[in-house]
Amino acid sequence: VELQKQLLTAYALSGRTDSVVVLTSKLMQTDSTQVPAALAAAQSLLNAKPAKTKEAMPFLDYVVKYGDQTAKDAAATLITTSALPLLQEPQDLAGADTMLHRAVALASPTSQIAPFANYYLGLTTFTEVTTTNTGPDKAKSIAGGKQAKAQLAEEGKAVANGEEGEQTGSQPQLTG
């Protein structure tokens, strides 16, 4: 197993994502303590150009199942930083929304990533509401109005959670 871990590190450093995925999958099948390897595989997939988000999810699910809160916070950080490019043009607001909801659910409320994930979730929700509820048909739709109201309530909660973290100084500085 130790030799496999060293090989995994070599694959990750050389950018051989497919090899990282195959080897990590084998390690995960034989040993439930391979949370760091699963995080490394998820990171390799999420950092790929273009990001392989769907392929990373089984590794993140493994972290959720077997990892401690620190590992879950690390997974939330990976998910959050991977969602940020989706907010830029060309936007994938639905994809960013899904990822940020998952990050918020994973992160401990006292973690450094929680306010950051909440802030961007609020920003995403606000952007979704303002871009999807425009035009005469959408503005007059009762269902559209109720949906927008629910989304804005969620956005307000997420932004408040993000601001709360900023005031306590726990806002992380992420680059990526």
Side-chain angles (χ1 to χ4, degrees), residues 16-36:
R16 295 179 58 186
T17 305
D18 293 340
S19 298
V20 169
V21 169
V22 170
L23 186 55
T24 303
S25 297
K26 288 180 183 177
L27 285 171
M28 288 169 31
Q29 290 172 356
T30 60
D31 186 2
S32 65
T33 64
Q34 296 302 318
V35 173

Side-chain angles (χ1 to χ4, degrees), residues 28-76:
M28 288 169 31
Q29 290 172 356
T30 60
D31 186 2
S32 65
T33 64
Q34 296 302 318
V35 173
L39 276 170
Q43 183 174 16
S44 291
L45 290 163
L46 292 171
N47 289 342
K49 301 290 181 206
K52 299 178 180 179
T53 306
K54 289 181 183 177
E55 292 89 342
M57 288 306 144
F59 298 102
L60 294 170
D61 292 339
Y62 182 89
V63 171
V64 170
K65 185 174 182 180
Y66 295 108
D68 61 7
Q69 189 56 54
T70 302
K72 291 174 185 174
D73 288 343

Side-chain angles (χ1 to χ4, degrees), residues 108-129:
S108 165
T110 58
S111 70
Q112 288 188 334
I113 194 61
F116 191 71
N118 272 294
Y119 175 80
Y120 280 103
L121 175 60
L123 177 67
T124 302
T125 305
F126 178 78
T127 304
E128 283 181 304
V129 169

Side-chain angles (χ1 to χ4, degrees), residues 112-173:
Q112 288 188 334
I113 194 61
F116 191 71
N118 272 294
Y119 175 80
Y120 280 103
L121 175 60
L123 177 67
T124 302
T125 305
F126 178 78
T127 304
E128 283 181 304
V129 169
T130 58
T131 58
T132 58
N133 291 305
T134 57
D137 294 337
K138 292 279 186 176
K140 294 179 184 176
S141 166
I142 293 174
K146 287 181 181 179
Q147 180 184 7
K149 184 178 178 180
Q151 285 177 313
L152 286 173
E154 178 184 2
E155 178 263 338
K157 179 181 172 192
V159 169
N161 288 340
E163 287 175 349
E164 198 174 285
E166 187 176 296
Q167 291 171 359
T168 61
S170 64
Q171 191 78 349
Q173 298 296 318

